[in-house]
Every structure is written in structure tokens, then in C-alpha cells.
Amino acid sequence: MQLEGQIVDVVGKRIFPGTVTIKEGKVAAITPGNTSNTSYIIPGFIDAHLHVESSMLIPSEFARLAVCHGTVATISDPHEIGNVLGVEGVHYMIDNGKQVPFKFYFGAPSCVPATTFETAGAAIGVEEVKALLEMDEVVYLAEMMNFPGVLNKDKEVMAKIAAAHALGKVVDGHAPGLRGEEARQYIAAGISTDHECFTAEEALDKLQHGMKIQIREGSAAKNFEALIPLLNKYPDRIMFCSDDKHPNDLAVGHINQLAARAVAYGCDAMQVLRACSYNVVQHYGLEVGLLQPNDAADFCVVNNLQDFNVLATYINGQKVAENGVSRIKPVAAPIVNRFNCSPITARQIVVSANEATAIKAIAVTDGQLITHKKHVTLPAVEGALQSDVAQDVLKLVVVNRYFDAPPAVAFVKNFGLQQGAIASCVAHDSHNIIAVGVSDEDIVNAINMVVQAQGGISLAAGEEQQVLPLPVAGIMTNKDGYETGVAYEQLDERAKALGATLHSPYMTLSFCALLVIPELKLSDKGLFDGNKFTFTNLWV
């Protein structure tokens, strides 16, 4: 097979007209020569850090959508399913991913459970991490979120890092806000990347200590605008990632969108494409082709180097997508899950006011995972605190999905809901059920729909009740990815119609339980201060 076009050589940093010859899944030859074909042949895009589970799709379905946007590979951290099912969940992801023509490179989850301050469904210890790292399919130790453990040289944390280094595998980082001497110590432990920077100053600090930065732009966390100026100064140490991508967003675009935005910002197209391919291949040692002779034929054809509209995608020489239509066929996949809790009642989420009504509220920021602590005073009705839409302060509830336990209740600001409630079992990191809403009745109904579905996302507003079931580990579906995207989009739009002002209310909700990101969060065990890394009281 031969393809003509403008060939982008990210290794030699040149663009020239010519012909690519493909034979037995590899690039047999690249021949310069005049051609009337004005489209560009470029290495396929690689997402440098992703939790496939956050797309709510199993890997095979994720691949079906991603290839339409020129994505040929991902660096995938199965941390989410690991927190639900342990090593069994990691193997589920690897096995399912192998059934489609796509290059999933998985990591060994380093922090399962993420903390001891929440209830997870499983634990992955040092010996299990070592066994995963010994697998060819596992190419790195996934994000080391326990940065206090690194700084304090926790025995188990350091053993996991040492296991990766002993096998010649890199260690990904996760250290939001860490700077100065602490950042230096964290990086000196052998941790090579970070995708959590939310300011250029923080990223620059880490770059200067030798770290590589993954510019993240997902469905909820959006750091592209803050960090993209770094690409021109540090082109060999920048990669692009989505981290978390909901199915409706994935149906529209992926890393190709970031490439287009980077060029529009003023970055050199060659440096942009290297950040989307070459830099990732080199850092993780991937067997992904870069349009070089004898490489695997992993590439895509785009209309130009400004818009990056993908005309076709090839993996190992096989055309897997053309003109926005995936050629990957759906794969039948079994249901695996761990879900064992009962429906709750409104009485269980009542917050008695006593005399004090001044509380600490979680203040969310659109496009960010980091939250802030806000002191607010709430109305009390018959001795119980209520949501207050006038202040945009709503009740937040987390329910343990693994066994029956009293729900944890707090309050959150800046969601915008004027009525109704939304709930989700996609709640990082342990994936208990999290809900936010105006009335206790709607909150309880939204939660109980998730319980009955054994995982999912839901919306309740009086008699209106909708749920998108996610039966695989309670966080994914084995149904069609495009249909799932449409169903999710409908729930998302309905939440916004009820007043939600966030770009991605369900994704932002899922991160309100993410204890490893400051400042204030809620786990199934209670309100948590991420700065002090300890529980805190609701009352001021």
C-alpha cells in the first residue's frame, strides 16, 4: 500500500512531499517526490496521561471513538478500576484493550487505595505492583499521588518506586501545588512527569528541577491556557494529555484539538506534533511508529497543520478510521463489579443545626480540580441546615458503595443548580456515590437510582428521574460509545437546564471526593482538609 502527501518527519524535524509505502504493518519506505496531494501524513496522536474509565467506556469502546481523531495510543492509568476491583480490574482493562487494533500502554496503579481516609473496594500492595510491572503491557508506575509519602520516605511508597526503577520503567507524578525544595525532593525520588500543574509558575519550577510536564485539558480540568506558553521554551519536555474525558467530549475530538489550539496560540507546528507523539514515545519507550522506515505504520492523514481535521487513521498499517467513521467493531465484554449498598432515606442526610449555622463549604472552580474553603452561614429549618440557592450553596452527600454505612454530608458552593439533584458513582478515587442537590428528596432519589443500577450517573427533579447505568465496575458501560455519549450529553444538558453553571457538572462533582487535590473535599468518611491531610469539622 502506498500513500502520497506532505510527510511530516518529527524525528528529522522536516516536512516534504513524498510517498509512504506500507508493507506487513510497517513503514517499508519513505520516498521524497512531487505530489499533488496537499494533505499531511503525520505520526498518530498519543494521549500522554489518561484514565480510560473516566470516559465511562471500556477500552475497546474508547478506542472506537478515539481513532476518529487520529489517536493511535494512550498512556493509560487503570487507577479507577483498580480502586474498585484491584488487580482483577487492571487485567480486565488490559485484556479488553487487546481485542481491538489500538495501542493501550497501561501503568501499574501506585496508590490503591489513594488514601486511608476513604473506603475503596480493593488494595494493590507492593508485591502486586511488582507483578504488574513485570508484564510487557505495563510500561510505567502510574501517578504517585502520595507525595507526602515520597517526601517522608514511606517504606511502601519507596518500595513501589524502586520496583519500577529496577525494571527500567518510568514513574509518573501527581503533585498539585508542590514547589521549591519539596518539589525537588519529590522529583529526586525518580518521579519524571506531572500533569497536575495549574499555573505556569508551578510548571516552570518543576521543569527547572528536571521534570517533564504534561499539559492537561480534559472535560473538567483545563490547564491548557495557563501552560501552553511553556511549549516554545521547553519543546522537548512537554506532552499533551486529557487525564479525564467524558464520552460526549471524546465523540467530538481528542488530542488533535489541543494540537490545533497550540498552533493557533503561536506554537511551531513541528514542536506541537513532537509533543503529541515523539516526546511521549521517547519518554515511555513505546513501540509506536513515528513515520520512520521499519517503524510500525501508526499515523494519520490530516487536512492541514492548523485545523488537524483527521481524514484517516492507521495503526500497524490497518486503516481504523476514515472521515470521522470508526472501522473498529464493537467487542462483547463481560460485566465485573463490586457494589453492595442499600438505598438511603432523607432522614440519613439531615444535618442538625443546633445553634451554629456557620459552616465550611467546598468552593469549586470551573475547569479546575483544586477547590477552596469558604465560610458561609446557612438557613436552618426545623433545626436542620438547608441548601441555599440564593448563596449557591448546596448539600453534598457521599455514600459508601461497598457496604452500608452512614452517608457523609457537607455543602458545596458554585454549582449553580436552582432545583433538582445529580448523582454519580464516577467519584474519584474510590468511586463511592456522590450527589449534590437543592432538596433532600431529590438528592436521595438521585442516589438511589445509582444504587439500583449498581453504578451510573443520574438526575432527579421531582417526578423527573433519569439514570445512565454504568455496570462495569460501577464506572463504565460495555454499550456503544456513541450512544453513551448521547445519553450522557442529555443528562449534562438537563443538569444545566436546572441551573448548573459549570462546563461539566458531573465531572466536577466526581472530583469533589478527590482527597489528594487540595483544599477541601468530602469522602464517605467525612469532610477532609487536603492541605493538612486530615479530617476537619463542618462547623466554623
Side-chain angles (χ1 to χ4, degrees):
M1 179 180 68
Q2 291 186 324
L3 285 88
E4 291 185 354
Q6 309 304 307
I7 299 168
V8 179
D9 176 5
V10 295
V11 178
K13 299 183 182 179
R14 62 189 185 122
I15 302 173
F16 59 91
T19 302
V20 178
T21 302
I22 311 300
K23 186 176 181 181
E24 297 180 353
K26 293 186 176 294
V27 176
I30 296 179
T31 309
N34 293 329
T35 176
S36 59
N37 193 325
T38 58
S39 58
Y40 287 79
I41 304 173
I42 66 174
F45 295 106
I46 306 172
D47 192 327
H49 175 76
L50 168 76
H51 303 282
V52 172
E53 303 96 312
S54 290
S55 71
M56 304 183 195
L57 307 175
I58 56 177
S60 57
E61 277 300 307
F62 176 93
R64 287 185 67 224
L65 275 63
V67 293
C68 295
H69 312 305
T71 305
V72 300
T74 59
I75 303 298
S76 304
D77 177 4
H79 169 88
E80 314 303 341
I81 197 169
N83 269 280
V84 176
L85 294 168
V87 171
E88 175 193 351
V90 177
H91 285 292
Y92 181 94
M93 300 295 279
I94 293 171
D95 293 343
N96 178 254
K98 284 181 176 180
Q99 297 183 57
V100 291
F102 189 87
K103 298 191 173 182
F104 288 104
Y105 289 94
F106 287 100
S110 67
C111 299
V112 176
T115 74
T116 59
F117 302 99
E118 58 197 306
T119 302
I124 299 178
V126 174
E127 293 307 313
E128 291 167 309
V129 165
K130 287 180 179 178
L132 288 171
L133 287 167
E134 288 171 354
M135 298 175 63
D136 292 338
E137 298 91 343
V138 176
V139 302
Y140 70 111
L141 181 65
E143 54 182 313
M144 178 48 73
M145 296 185 291
N146 188 358
F147 62 82
V150 176
L151 298 178
N152 294 318
K153 293 183 169 52
D154 176 88
K155 183 178 179 180
E156 181 169 332
V157 167
M158 301 313 288
K160 291 175 180 178
I161 294 172
H165 290 160
L167 291 166
K169 297 186 177 183
V170 297
V171 180
D172 266 9
H174 170 117
L178 205 64
R179 300 193 49 185
E181 176 58 21
E182 288 187 331
R184 187 198 67 76
Q185 291 179 29
Y186 181 76
I187 296 164
I191 299 172
S192 58
T193 67
D194 191 67
H195 61 277
E196 291 290 349
C197 297
F198 48 88
T199 67
E201 293 74 20
E202 177 189 348
L204 184 60
D205 194 30
K206 289 172 178 172
L207 282 164
Q208 291 172 341
H209 286 109
M211 189 170 259
K212 294 179 181 178
I213 298 300
Q214 296 161 332
I215 297 178
R216 173 178 60 189
E217 190 80 354
S219 291
K222 299 182 181 296
N223 309 125
F224 180 91
E225 293 296 333
L227 303 183
I228 193 59
L230 297 169
L231 181 59
N232 285 331
K233 291 187 67 176
Y234 300 92
D236 297 330
R237 295 167 61 194
I238 300 293
M239 297 172 255
F240 290 131
C241 74
S242 65
D243 196 4
D244 296 289
K245 195 83 166 170
H246 268 178
N248 59 325
D249 291 333
L250 183 62
V252 175
H254 195 197
I255 302 300
N256 61 320
Q257 293 178 317
L258 302 188
R261 287 177 62 184
V263 170
Y265 174 82
C267 297
D268 177 73
M270 181 62 72
Q271 302 292 13
V272 170
L273 288 175
R274 282 170 65 89
C276 297
S277 58
Y278 179 85
N279 292 356
V280 191
V281 169
Q282 293 298 308
H283 181 72
Y284 291 97
L286 309 182
E287 294 182 3
V288 177
L290 293 171
L291 273 181
Q292 303 297 301
N294 299 316
D295 272 5
D298 305 322
F299 61 89
C300 60
V301 182
V302 297
N303 63 333
N304 57 52
L305 300 185
Q306 291 81 43
D307 303 315
F308 295 99
N309 293 321
V310 177
L311 308 178
T313 305
Y314 295 80
I315 297 178
N316 289 334
Q318 176 182 346
K319 185 185 287 187
V320 292
E322 185 173 26
N323 295 324
V325 178
S326 180
R327 290 190 169 193
I328 296 178
K329 302 299 182 184
V331 171
I335 299 295
V336 292
N337 207 346
R338 184 164 291 152
F339 211 106
N340 189 31
C341 67
S342 305
I344 68 167
T345 65
R347 183 180 300 176
Q348 291 177 270
I349 63 170
V350 170
V351 179
S352 297
N354 299 320
E355 295 182 2
T357 59
I359 57 118
K360 303 166 191 167
I362 300 167
V364 300
T365 301
D366 203 7
Q368 300 292 338
L369 305 190
I370 194 168
T371 59
H372 299 283
K373 180 167 57 181
K374 184 80 172 177
H375 290 173
V376 299
T377 300
L378 290 177
V381 178
E382 296 180 353
L385 290 190
Q386 306 293 318
S387 296
D388 185 359
V389 295
Q391 294 187 73
D392 194 6
V393 178
L394 305 175
K395 185 172 285 187
L396 184 72
V397 178
V398 176
V399 175
N400 183 327
R401 65 174 277 192
Y402 301 104
F403 53 83
D404 287 337
V409 184
F411 291 85
V412 64
K413 185 173 177 58
N414 301 333
F415 256 86
L417 279 173
Q418 297 295 301
Q419 57 181 310
I422 61 174
S424 175
C425 202
V426 179
H428 307 280
D429 276 313
S430 295
H431 301 291
N432 291 299
I433 307 168
I434 188 166
V436 62
V438 176
S439 76
D440 288 0
E441 181 182 3
D442 285 335
I443 292 171
V444 167
N445 286 337
I447 288 170
N448 288 342
M449 278 188 279
V450 174
V451 172
Q452 291 158 6
Q454 299 283 280
I457 64 171
S458 66
L459 179 146
E463 294 183 359
E464 178 185 2
Q465 297 187 15
Q466 301 181 51
V467 63
L468 170 59
L470 300 174
V472 179
I475 54 177
M476 294 177 286
T477 177
N478 57 357
K479 303 298 184 183
D480 180 87
Y482 289 101
E483 293 176 3
T484 301
V486 171
Y488 171 77
E489 183 80 29
Q490 291 172 346
L491 281 168
D492 181 75
E493 290 177 354
R494 187 66 189 124
K496 291 171 181 174
L498 293 175
T501 53
L502 299 164
H503 172 76
S504 186
Y506 282 98
M507 187 69 89
T508 300
L509 176 64
S510 75
F511 289 116
C512 286
L514 184 56
L515 308 189
V516 294
I517 301 286
E519 173 181 25
L520 196 62
K521 306 286 184 178
L522 180 67
S523 85
D524 68 291
K525 295 183 178 181
L527 194 61
F528 188 78
D529 186 325
N531 290 332
K532 298 178 180 177
F533 228 68
T534 186
F535 289 114
T536 186
N537 197 291
L538 175 66
W539 310 100
V540 173

